[in-house]
Amino acid sequence: MSWQTIIIDSFSKFTGKVITFLPNLLAMITILIIGFLLAWVVKTLLWLFLKALQVDKRSERWGLSQILSKGGSAFSPAHLLSRFCYWVVVLSTLILALNALEIEATQNFVAHFFNYLPHLFAAILILIIGYLMAIFLSQAALIAAVNAQIDSAKLLSQIVRWFLIILSLTMALYHLGIAEKVIVAAFSITFGGIILALAIAFGLGGKEWAKNFLENLYKRKEKEKEDQDRISHL
Amino acid sequence: MEKAIPEEIKEVDLLVGIPSYNHARTIKQVAQTVSAGLGKFFPEAGWILCISDGGSTDGTPEQVKKAQIEDARLIFTSHPVHPIDKIYPPYRGILGQEKAFRTFLENAKSLKAKACCVVDPDVKSITPEWMKNLLQPIYTDGFDYVAPLFARPKFDGTITNSIVYPLTRALYGRRVQQPIGGNFSFSGKLAAFYLEKAVWEDDAVRLGLDIWASTLALSGKFKVGQAHLGVKIHEAREKTSDLATMFTQVTSSVYALMGEYQDFWKGEKGSQAIPTFGDPQGMAEEPPSVNWERMVRIFRLGAKDLMEVWRKALPNESALWLASIGRLSDGAFHFPPDLWVRLIYDFAVAYRKGSVHRDHLLKSMIPIYLGWVSCFIKENQEASAQEVEERIESLCRVFEEMKPYLREHWP
């Protein structure tokens, strides 16, 4: 075969591949344009709908806005929800667009992604619920501790908050299948270690301190009983 | 032991209700005293005593039998007590009281009772005169609601005197001094109104039956009075001894009712005295010494650690004011009445808005309440009972003067 034939053959093969691939590329570009346009329409319509329902005002009343701002979000709940939907549509568009190329590697990626999606949503849900519970229960602990005259009420409330955040983070990572064994081991070692350290401190190192602490606690309780209001509050 | 309305009785003049749940130690005495009072002061009237029991296991029904109330004058029914009633009992401590009250109102309706009265089952200081003072204004003078007026040591009833009385008075325009005293009476007309209005599952009815009954009588423009009943001594002083639970139940009932009857109270200005029946009686006991420094300590702890929660609920100015008094020493500690009133209104607004979880909101109010009470006790330690009454009266006037602030901020 002459070198001219090889060149012509190679060029015709390349042209053939490009011609075969071109419709897929065009399909991908079309999907991307329509997808982004759809995402923008969904975002705008949803935002107008949520605004009409006065979701922001209601969220303020339910304390959701405060939780979001505390979590570092600069957006209102209606804005956040519409943006979330925008990105869901954009993400779906990107995946569809990749799929339209009909390349084996991208198709495998898309299949894996869709298999992983339920785990991702579950993990996000665990994190959101965990965070909300951490805020709610740490506030409850703080108020109860102040009313019980515990001087380190804030510390107690922070312990409750971080325990719940770490617990939900661990559960979310476990659900995502990221270093499952390491996560469980780390969690067990950390909390087991804390308990062991406390036990050793109470049992050996801090024997006297523990004794004094318990004695003072008992005396304080006794004193509180004596100090209790003899007035009827009702 | 169930005993329905005797068939031959179609109508009664007076109906007295006693809800009970494991009150074997006191129910006999209470039933006998009520019966004696009715016989003594209303010899011509037809009356019936209704006892509704929540399934006592301590022999309460047997004690009722021992009271030997004439058969035709006694109805004994039972009402269910659910596990939730036991887990979270109302501040009066009578489990399932709202179910007993419902049965009582239905009896009042079917018997066309002219005057009705409810009495606590564990009140040891009850006398026959209670029946006269509570029922006569309704039966003979055309009143619709009579609240009790108990003689109390000067620092007793701090939730009533600092919150419930002044707030109810400023809101609804009439001076019912003990709207959460239990042991109240009402007309057949008001009984029918209660029956029509009650949402029995509501916490305001389940937990704050007496404030609910008072508020409906006031907002419904019924003819209201109050009656001196002497001292009130319960078998156990307060069944729900936990201040946090008691405080939360009372304030949540008052605030919830505020939301429900806002159309009425927004239009009310000032307040009017109401007729008082019976003779006032002196205190039975000297006021006990109260450790107000302990209360200040809790307030300071709150000002240090709960400011974050308060800031979510209160306007900035109120929060700053609280922070500044949190820094005062014991000797200089002073809680201004106008700040206290402002805070009660601010918390009412926050409760309405729901900007903080309601249970958290009300529980976070306790250190502030203790701060106010400690200042009140500290500044009135040497004051006579009369002077303390005057201080409460002046606090009530501040509540009335600052009502426009509430109207302005109410959402």
Side-chain angles (χ1 to χ4, degrees), chain B residues 143 165 169 172-177 218 223-226 270-276 393 400:
Chain B
F143 276 79
Y165 166 47
R169 169 176 159 169
Y172 305 104
R174 280 183 282 177
R175 299 173 195 168
V176 180
Q177 289 181 43
L218 292 168
K223 202 172 168 189
V224 171
Q226 56 194 352
S271 69
Q272 293 166 346
I274 55 169
T276 303
E393 177 61 28
E400 287 175 20

Side-chain angles (χ1 to χ4, degrees), chain B residues 64-341:
Chain B
V64 173
K65 261 188 201 166
K66 281 185 190 166
Q68 293 181 325
I69 310 292
E70 200 184 319
D71 213 35
R73 293 189 183 276
L74 179 70
I75 301 173
F76 191 92
T77 53
S78 49
H79 61 264
V81 169
H82 301 304
I84 183 72
D85 297 320
K86 291 180 188 173
I87 294 166
Y88 196 56
Y91 57 83
R92 302 209 66 72
I94 302 156
L95 303 188
Q97 57 175 4
E98 79 288 358
K99 297 172 203 96
F101 191 60
R102 184 182 190 170
T103 311
F104 180 67
L105 292 179
E106 281 160 356
N107 285 335
K109 190 183 174 186
S110 64
L111 289 168
K112 299 182 187 72
K114 292 185 180 71
C116 313
C117 168
V118 283
V119 178
D120 284 351
D122 58 347
V123 62
K124 291 199 297 188
S125 56
I126 187 168
T127 64
E129 282 69 28
W130 281 32
M131 290 300 105
K132 178 191 163 204
N133 293 346
L134 285 170
L135 287 167
Q136 207 160 48
I138 310 265
Y139 187 52
T140 57
D141 305 334
F143 276 79
D144 287 305
Y145 180 83
V146 176
L149 194 48
F150 293 106
R152 321 184 67 168
K154 66 178 182 180
F155 294 137
D156 256 16
T158 38
I159 295 179
T160 303
N161 292 334
S162 308
I163 304 172
V164 186
Y165 166 47
L167 184 59
T168 310
R169 169 176 159 169
L171 290 174
Y172 305 104
R174 280 183 282 177
R175 299 173 195 168
V176 180
Q177 289 181 43
Q178 292 177 8
I180 52 170
N183 307 282
F184 54 93
S185 60
F186 48 93
S187 64
K189 190 171 76 171
L190 186 53
F193 185 70
Y194 285 153
L195 210 49
E196 182 195 323
K197 288 278 177 185
V199 179
W200 299 104
E201 293 74 28
D202 257 18
D203 272 358
V205 181
R206 197 178 83 77
L207 303 172
L209 189 59
D210 38 18
I211 183 66
W212 174 82
S214 312
T215 306
L216 256 74
L218 292 168
S219 62
K221 297 227 165 189
F222 287 91
K223 202 172 168 189
V224 171
Q226 56 194 352
H228 286 291
L229 298 181
V231 293
K232 181 168 72 164
I233 302 164
H234 278 280
E235 169 75 0
R237 219 170 182 191
E238 275 153 13
K239 289 287 170 66
T240 308
S241 55
D242 169 29
L243 173 64
T245 311
M246 196 160 64
F247 184 88
T248 313
Q249 288 183 0
V250 174
T251 45
S252 71
S253 300
V254 177
Y255 284 160
L257 289 163
M258 259 178 99
E260 211 166 314
Y261 296 100
Q262 54 173 319
D263 292 339
F264 177 83
W265 63 255
K266 277 181 184 169
E268 288 295 302
K269 278 179 191 160
S271 69
Q272 293 166 346
I274 55 169
T276 303
F277 306 96
D279 301 317
Q281 291 175 30
M283 307 299 160
E285 49 179 307
E286 277 300 302
S289 62
V290 183
N291 185 351
W292 62 267
E293 288 99 337
R294 189 183 69 87
M295 295 182 182
V296 177
R297 274 202 303 277
I298 300 177
F299 170 73
R300 284 207 196 97
L301 196 59
K304 179 169 75 78
D305 289 342
L306 292 183
M307 195 49 80
E308 185 191 329
V309 183
W310 293 346
R311 279 190 190 279
K312 286 187 218 165
L314 302 173
N316 199 29
E317 202 183 324
S318 305
L320 286 173
W321 206 347
L322 268 177
S324 72
I325 61 168
R327 288 190 288 269
L328 297 174
S329 65
D330 275 5
F333 189 74
H334 174 67
F335 204 121
D338 44 346
L339 172 62
W340 171 244
V341 177

Side-chain angles (χ1 to χ4, degrees), chain A residues 61 139 229-230 232-234, chain B residues 152 157 159 238 353-354 369:
Chain A
R61 193 176 281 186
Q139 186 165 285
D229 313 330
R230 289 191 193 91
S232 161
H233 287 273
L234 279 182
Chain B
R152 321 184 67 168
I159 295 179
E238 275 153 13
K353 282 185 181 166
Y369 160 74

Side-chain angles (χ1 to χ4, degrees), chain A residues 31-77:
Chain A
I31 289 170
L32 281 177
I33 292 169
I34 294 174
F36 273 92
L37 205 68
L38 189 73
W40 183 82
V41 170
V42 166
K43 186 181 90 170
T44 312
L45 286 180
L46 189 67
W47 190 73
L48 288 172
F49 179 68
L50 294 173
K51 208 178 157 192
L53 287 180
Q54 295 188 314
V55 167
D56 286 345
K57 270 190 184 171
R58 282 166 207 266
S59 304
E60 212 165 292
R61 193 176 281 186
W62 298 333
L64 195 67
S65 303
Q66 290 86 334
I67 291 171
L68 286 174
S69 67
K70 219 174 160 187
S73 166
F75 300 110
S76 70

